[in-house]
């Protein structure tokens, strides 16, 4: 996320005190153009998750259990996601669409709080995913939404469908070694990542790379590879710019993949959802208060998850 986007978030957060007079549902939910008593009667719901400024790959994952819950409870659900995440949602059997109908044709539009200026004119329930959390984000969303709908929303997504026995061959990876995935980059809040943090991560990976049974796989984008002039001093497979979001899910789902070392970002969340461990260096946030809250409630996605170790 660019710094300018953070200033926009700050502006909206400050302005949210005004919206509380009319739209405040609970600490991180804002309801527009509907009364809470109307929510149990709604049937046609859309999720607007296609926004490159505020809806990063990891943010999509926060909404997965909620979309699955509405789907399984018989609601008419459509979700528009980023092009990168479309194949993932499609393969999971979720109600993903390339284009939504006009927003006014839905009983309810669900999205992030940061899209308030675009969506507050419609029947909308907006979520502040990084403020006022009291439990891990996926658990919080399920708990909060369940209070306003007649049916309990508590589904979990089954990720067995994101299995590809040919993924190692496709990516040119060994099939007889344990794989450690490393991503020393993060496009979201990249200005929070300095040389010291990256060096610490690389040193941690280097200690694992000495094990002859482990092969290191470096992930990232093609731009990360272009901008990063440093040379890793350990043997590794360089997949920067060579994987899709679906590839990442299928690679993490492979039994040979055992550990993630990197920043708190998309790959960490994928490991958690698939029940695998991560060693994570927390990026931090602009304020200490928010940093401490997100360490507690954004790193592990569910209350019963303990897959992330902060280093």
């Amino acid at each position: 996320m660019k710094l300018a986007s953070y200033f926009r978030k700050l502006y909206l957060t400050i302005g949210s005190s005004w919206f509380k007079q009319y739209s405040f549902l609970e600490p991180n939910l804002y309801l527009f153009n509907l009364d809470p008593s109307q929510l149990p009667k709604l049937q046609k719901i859309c999720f607007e998750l296609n926004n490159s400024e505020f809806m990063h790959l990891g943010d999509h994952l926060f909404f997965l259990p909620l979309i699955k819950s509405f789907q399984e409870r018989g609601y008419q659900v459509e979700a528009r996601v980023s092009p990168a995440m479309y194949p993932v949602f499609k393969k999971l059997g979720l109600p993903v669409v390339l284009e939504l109908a006009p927003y006014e044709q839905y009983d309810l539009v669900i999205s992030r709080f940061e899209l308030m200026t675009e969506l507050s004119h419609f029947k909308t329930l907006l979520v502040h995913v990084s403020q006022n959390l009291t439990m891990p984000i996926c658990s919080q969303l399920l708990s909060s939404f369940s209070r306003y709908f007649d049916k309990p929303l508590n589904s979990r997504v089954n990720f067995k469908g994101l299995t590809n026995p040919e993924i190692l061959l496709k990516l040119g990876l060994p099939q007889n070694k344990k794989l450690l995935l490393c991503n020393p980059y993060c496009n979201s809040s990249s200005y929070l990542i300095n040389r010291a943090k990256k060096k610490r991560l690389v040193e941690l990976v280097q200690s694992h790379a000495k094990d002859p049974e482990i092969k290191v796989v470096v992930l990232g984008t093609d731009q990360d590879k272009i901008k990063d002039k440093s040379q890793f001093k350990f043997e590794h497979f360089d997949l920067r710019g060579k994987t899709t979001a679906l590839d990442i899910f299928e690679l993490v789902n492979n039994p040979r993949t055992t550990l993630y070392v990197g920043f708190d970002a998309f790959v960490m969340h994928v490991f958690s959802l698939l029940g695998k461990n991560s060693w994570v260096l927390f990026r931090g946030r602009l304020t200490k208060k928010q940093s401490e809250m997100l360490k507690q409630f954004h790193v592990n996605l569910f209350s019963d998850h303990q897959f992330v170790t902060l280093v």
Side-chain angles (χ1 to χ4, degrees), residues 156-184:
R156 299 281 183 104
V157 176
N158 187 327
F159 294 96
K160 289 182 180 179
L162 300 184
T163 301
N164 179 3
E166 303 297 323
I167 188 63
L168 300 184
L169 182 63
K170 174 185 176 181
L171 298 177
L173 298 174
Q175 302 186 45
N176 59 347
K177 300 290 184 181
K178 296 177 182 178
L179 300 178
L180 181 156
L181 307 192
C182 165
N183 188 347

Side-chain angles (χ1 to χ4, degrees), residues 27-28 131-136 140 144 147 293 296-297 303:
N28 63 336
Q131 294 287 340
N132 302 312
L133 301 180
T134 58
M135 63 180 76
Q140 173 121 15
S144 297
R147 283 195 281 273
M293 180 194 67
Q296 190 174 3
F297 300 131
S303 298

Side-chain angles (χ1 to χ4, degrees), residues 160-285:
K160 289 182 180 179
L162 300 184
T163 301
N164 179 3
E166 303 297 323
I167 188 63
L168 300 184
L169 182 63
K170 174 185 176 181
L171 298 177
L173 298 174
Q175 302 186 45
N176 59 347
K177 300 290 184 181
K178 296 177 182 178
L179 300 178
L180 181 156
L181 307 192
C182 165
N183 188 347
Y185 314 101
C186 185
N187 292 329
S188 174
S189 311
S190 57
Y191 60 89
L192 294 171
I193 298 176
N194 54 36
R195 290 184 180 180
K197 290 179 181 178
K198 183 179 175 183
K199 180 182 178 183
R200 186 177 174 190
L201 266 187
V202 170
E203 289 174 347
L204 186 59
V205 173
Q206 200 162 346
S207 66
H208 285 276
K210 296 175 182 178
D211 187 333
E213 294 302 312
I214 292 177
K215 293 298 180 182
V216 175
V217 180
V218 178
L219 303 174
T221 66
D222 51 356
Q223 289 301 308
D224 291 329
K225 186 171 183 176
I226 292 170
K227 294 177 182 178
D228 188 358
K229 304 301 181 183
S230 59
Q231 298 293 322
F232 299 114
K233 297 180 181 180
F234 47 82
E235 182 182 344
H236 65 280
F237 291 85
D238 189 350
L239 292 188
R240 290 175 293 181
K242 299 179 181 179
T243 57
T244 65
L246 181 58
D247 288 337
I248 296 298
F249 267 97
E250 293 177 346
L251 178 56
V252 177
N253 229 351
N254 189 280
R256 287 289 171 186
T257 301
T258 58
L259 182 68
Y260 167 68
V261 178
F263 291 107
D264 52 307
F266 173 67
V267 182
M268 174 193 72
H269 293 316
V270 174
F271 266 73
S272 291
L273 289 173
L274 298 181
K276 294 192 176 184
N277 294 325
S278 299
W279 288 12
V280 171
L281 183 59
F282 190 71
R283 287 172 282 151
R285 296 299 188 271

Side-chain angles (χ1 to χ4, degrees), residues 6-24:
Y6 259 102
F7 283 122
R8 182 183 174 188
K9 287 183 68 172
L10 180 62
Y11 167 78
L12 288 171
T13 300
I14 295 172
S16 66
S17 60
W18 182 85
F19 284 97
K20 287 181 182 180
Q21 301 174 59
Y22 310 100
S23 312
F24 187 63

Side-chain angles (χ1 to χ4, degrees), residues 19-74:
F19 284 97
K20 287 181 182 180
Q21 301 174 59
Y22 310 100
S23 312
F24 187 63
L25 199 57
E26 57 180 72
N28 63 336
L29 297 182
Y30 291 80
L31 182 66
F32 294 89
N33 305 308
L34 281 169
D35 187 88
S37 63
Q38 296 175 278
L39 290 175
K41 305 171 187 176
L42 306 183
Q43 286 299 315
K44 191 173 183 180
I45 298 172
C46 82
F47 286 79
E48 177 57 278
L49 307 182
N50 185 24
N51 182 278
S52 59
E53 185 177 10
F54 292 111
M55 190 65 65
H56 304 291
L57 297 186
D59 297 326
H60 285 69
L61 306 182
F62 302 158
F63 291 88
L64 279 176
L66 196 58
I67 294 171
K68 185 68 172 178
S69 294
F70 278 117
Q71 182 188 35
E72 291 186 341
R73 301 303 181 271

